[in-house]
């Protein structure tokens, strides 16, 4: 019988990799962004790092921490935060952040429940 913790790690674990393509007005891909699912431990670390309860600051810090390139290297550094806040359209940053926050929400927990019973 499969242990519940193992089932959850296999079905919804951090080994998954999500991808988002940010496209320009011409429809061409400007930037490919990859990331692994957010864990509770990461969420707590990001909240501490952001130093505030502001949802916008959390989302920006999430993007900075989690965004990877195709090789698995971080796209942004901590020092990029001020520049991103001041020099990039908010709607673009929100588009990326929303994709990251919503990733994985379409998964069906019913599948995991069915596997657990077997």
């Amino acid at each position: 019988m499969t242990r519940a913790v193992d089932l959850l790690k296999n079905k919804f674990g951090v080994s998954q990799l999500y991808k988002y393509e940010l496209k320009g007005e011409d429809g061409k891909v400007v930037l490919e962004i990859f990331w692994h699912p957010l864990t509770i431990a990461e969420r707590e670390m990001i909240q501490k790092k952001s130093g505030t309860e502001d949802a916008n600051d959390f989302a920006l810090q999430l993007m900075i921490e989690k965004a990877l390139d195709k090789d698995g290297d971080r796209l942004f550094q901590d020092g990029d935060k001020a520049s991103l806040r001041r020099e990039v359209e908010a709607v673009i940053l929100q588009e990326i952040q929303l994709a990251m926050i919503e990733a994985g929400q379409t998964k069906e927990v019913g599948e995991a429940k069915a596997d657990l019973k077997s």
Side-chain angles (χ1 to χ4, degrees), residues 18 20 35 37-38 62 94-107:
Y18 297 107
Y20 184 75
W35 68 95
L38 180 67
L62 168 72
Q94 290 166 350
E95 180 180 337
I96 297 166
Q97 295 159 1
L98 190 58
M100 294 178 90
I101 290 170
E102 289 182 343
Q105 290 185 3
T106 59
K107 289 186 184 262

Side-chain angles (χ1 to χ4, degrees), residues 39-74:
T39 65
I40 291 174
E42 288 172 325
R43 182 184 316 222
E44 291 170 352
M45 181 268 305
I46 290 168
Q47 285 173 329
K48 285 179 186 175
K49 233 178 181 180
S50 69
T52 179
E53 294 294 320
D54 180 54
N56 289 323
D57 200 56
F58 173 82
L60 183 59
Q61 192 66 44
L62 168 72
M63 185 184 84
I64 291 169
E65 293 292 329
K66 300 287 291 176
L68 305 170
D69 65 15
K70 66 180 178 180
D71 298 321
D73 296 321
R74 284 182 67 187

